Amino acid sequence: MKNMLDKYFKITENKSTLKTEVIAGITTFMTMVYILAVNPSILSAAGMDKDAVFTATALSAIIATLVMALYAKLPFALAPGMGLNAFFAFTVVLGMGYSWEFALTAVFLEGIIFIILTAFNIRELIVNSIPINLKHAVSVGIGLFIAFIGLKGTGLIVDNPATLVSLGSMKNPEVLVGMAGVLIIGVLLTKKVKGAILIGILVSTIIGLIVGVTVVPENFSFVSLPPSLEPVFFKFDFSQIFTLDMLIVLFTFLFVDMFDTVGTLVGVSSKAGMLDKDGKVPRVKQALFADAIGTFVGAILGTSTVTTYVESAAGVAEGGKTGMTALTVAGMFALALFFAPVFMIIPAAATAPALIIVGLFMISPIMKIDLDDFTESIPAFFTIIMMPLTYSIAEGIVFGMLSYVLLKLLTGKYKEIKPIMVIIAILFIIKFYV
């Protein structure tokens, strides 16, 4: 069995081991398992059955991540995306007044369009059109972004109406758990202990029990059967698919998911040293099929858009290099269907240290960016700084690519611009102003 997995995923060929890949997969899962609690909570605000959405979330993550593992053979995990679920619930349903069935139909159509775009290499063309300096900048931007998410998760950074953000209370037990986790992981990394990030998450969870951050419910049970999908399964509303509102909603879903996934694939691949000599992501078409199929199937099951998770960087940081890492994540989501109560008690403050440390790992490609050529460095800087400040990987890419195209045109370096980038830049402008 071990030899078969090694041969299929080329683990030894990629200078990794089965143990490293499994630990990497568990680490990625531990940093993204929050989606099993958060996604049902958000979509239930739109009127969807919370328990059914839990099952749909887990199943869609399993299916999409299996495609990534077995077809693309890359160490990335997928699940219903944060931000996209909020747009689904709070903008489309609660804001625009449409039913959740209408929103789910938009996600279903998005999945079909993504499968078509991927089959005809259009999405691959977009990924490969991004200049190498911007690809490195995406990795750095993602690093700052997920570190920001981690700092927010510990309560070390809080919102402030006057300054947008400010320092939280150092007396907050969540801050103490988070900072303890960072120190634990830091010491283990210095000592070169394998699984440092995963150990940090588990020890932080135990510390959380002591200080009251990790909460164990009174009727706690280790095992439970998955809730029924019936309330949300195949619940579509096709009566308004040709309306302008459907077009607007569909375009937004397509845009955000397109560039979130592209950004994650490019950024994490850059950090992992997986880009080839031309700066291309290996087997990118197969990887893009994973989120297209995940979104399509996820809509049928009853959940919002499925995307590649930036938390995959945590597993890559632990040494994950092959589809075995993703296969492990899929297996963990399958277990979570039956052991949901166990995973649900891991607090955000315990997974936040992993995101902060991975943020550090992700910024190293900044050394590869050409900072002397301002037509390269300014777009790279926009890419980096806009991701955490807009809370969106997609918006970071928008500002980076737009500034790249405009600066190259205005300085007479138009020959360095690929035609597809001009088309994308025009679409970005239309998105902003039309």
Side-chain angles (χ1 to χ4, degrees):
M1 181 67 175
K2 185 177 178 181
N3 289 336
M4 198 166 76
L5 289 171
D6 190 4
K7 187 177 178 181
Y8 185 80
F9 291 113
K10 299 180 180 177
I11 296 171
T12 303
E13 188 178 316
N14 282 282
K15 297 177 182 177
S16 185
T17 65
L18 183 61
K19 181 182 176 183
T20 297
E21 296 291 313
V22 170
I23 288 175
I26 295 171
T27 302
T28 293
F29 173 77
M30 295 293 268
T31 59
M32 64 184 287
V33 68
Y34 66 83
I35 195 62
L36 291 178
V38 176
N39 199 49
S41 175
I42 289 174
L43 296 189
S44 66
M48 299 180 75
D49 184 273
K50 193 172 183 179
D51 291 339
V53 173
F54 167 85
T55 305
T57 302
L59 287 175
S60 63
I62 292 166
I63 293 165
T65 306
L66 279 175
V67 175
M68 184 68 79
L70 302 175
Y71 184 47
K73 299 181 184 178
L74 292 169
F76 306 126
L78 300 92
M82 289 294 294
L84 292 157
N85 51 10
F87 176 75
F88 180 109
F90 302 119
T91 301
V92 179
V93 178
L94 299 178
M96 298 172 71
Y98 284 103
S99 66
W100 59 263
E101 290 90 347
F102 170 93
L104 212 54
T105 306
V107 175
F108 177 70
L109 294 174
E110 177 201 357
I112 294 172
I113 293 170
F114 267 173
I115 289 171
I116 294 168
L117 291 177
T118 307
F120 286 95
N121 299 325
I122 294 170
R123 295 178 76 199
E124 185 177 359
L125 194 66
I126 292 170
V127 175
N128 292 337
S129 73
I130 300 174
I132 189 68
N133 276 318
L134 285 191
K135 284 179 176 172
H136 294 319
V138 167
S139 176
V140 181
I142 288 174
L144 294 182
F145 180 41
I146 61 176
F148 183 66
I149 293 171
L151 291 168
K152 184 168 168 279
T154 66
L156 189 64
I157 289 178
V158 296
D159 64 324
N160 184 310
T163 60
L164 295 183
V165 293
S166 60
L167 185 68
S169 171
M170 296 303 291
K171 296 178 183 177
N172 182 346
E174 291 187 350
V175 173
L176 298 176
V177 169
M179 291 303 96
V182 171
L183 291 173
I184 291 164
I185 295 172
V187 169
L188 293 174
L189 287 171
T190 303
K191 300 286 186 182
K192 294 183 169 52
V193 175
K194 282 285 184 184
I197 294 175
L198 177 58
I199 294 168
I201 293 171
L202 296 175
V203 174
S204 297
T205 301
I206 294 167
I207 294 171
L209 276 171
I210 298 167
V211 299
V213 171
T214 305
V215 179
V216 181
E218 283 185 20
N219 299 321
F220 179 75
S221 170
F222 281 94
V223 183
S224 65
L225 286 173
S228 169
L229 275 175
E230 196 281 327
V232 297
F233 182 77
F234 213 85
K235 304 292 187 194
F236 297 125
D237 174 12
F238 291 109
S239 64
Q240 301 180 77
I241 60 172
F242 297 111
T243 62
L244 180 61
D245 278 342
M246 175 60 84
L247 184 64
I248 293 168
V249 170
L250 183 56
F251 178 79
T252 304
F253 275 135
L254 281 167
F255 172 83
V256 176
D257 189 25
M258 169 83 77
F259 290 98
D260 261 10
T261 293
V262 166
T264 302
L265 288 174
V266 167
V268 180
S269 296
S270 169
K271 170 56 199 165
M274 292 167 61
L275 299 178
D276 65 18
K277 58 181 173 57
D278 298 317
K280 294 180 180 179
V281 179
R283 299 180 298 285
V284 68
K285 182 175 181 177
Q286 292 91 324
L288 292 169
F289 261 123
D291 81 308
I293 292 168
T295 295
F296 174 75
V297 174
I300 294 171
L301 294 171
T303 185
S304 52
T305 306
V306 172
T307 188
T308 306
Y309 259 60
V310 68
E311 283 84 355
S312 301
V316 170
E318 279 289 3
K321 294 180 179 178
T322 74
M324 188 64 218
T325 294
L327 184 64
T328 303
V329 176
M332 292 298 289
F333 269 112
L335 279 175
L337 273 170
F338 301 95
F339 292 88
V342 177
F343 295 113
M344 290 301 101
I345 67 168
I346 300 169
T351 57
L355 299 180
I356 294 167
I357 294 294
V358 170
L360 164 67
F361 296 155
M362 291 293 292
I363 67 170
S364 63
I366 197 168
M367 295 183 287
K368 300 176 184 176
I369 297 172
D370 181 2
L371 297 176
D372 295 323
D373 181 347
F374 291 110
T375 63
E376 297 282 342
S377 60
I378 291 174
F381 181 70
F382 264 118
T383 303
I384 292 166
I385 201 68
M386 292 302 284
M387 284 188 191
L389 295 186
T390 60
Y391 216 76
S392 168
I393 294 169
E395 299 297 357
I397 293 174
V398 168
F399 279 91
M401 292 184 75
L402 259 180
S403 58
Y404 181 91
V405 170
L406 292 172
L407 282 168
K408 292 292 184 183
L409 284 173
L410 294 170
T411 56
K413 296 183 176 182
Y414 54 87
K415 290 183 179 178
E416 297 178 27
I417 308 170
K418 293 181 180 178
I420 188 70
M421 285 199 70
V422 177
I423 297 169
I424 294 168
I426 292 168
L427 289 174
F428 288 161
I429 293 168
I430 292 171
K431 173 184 178 287
F432 283 136
Y433 296 108
V434 176

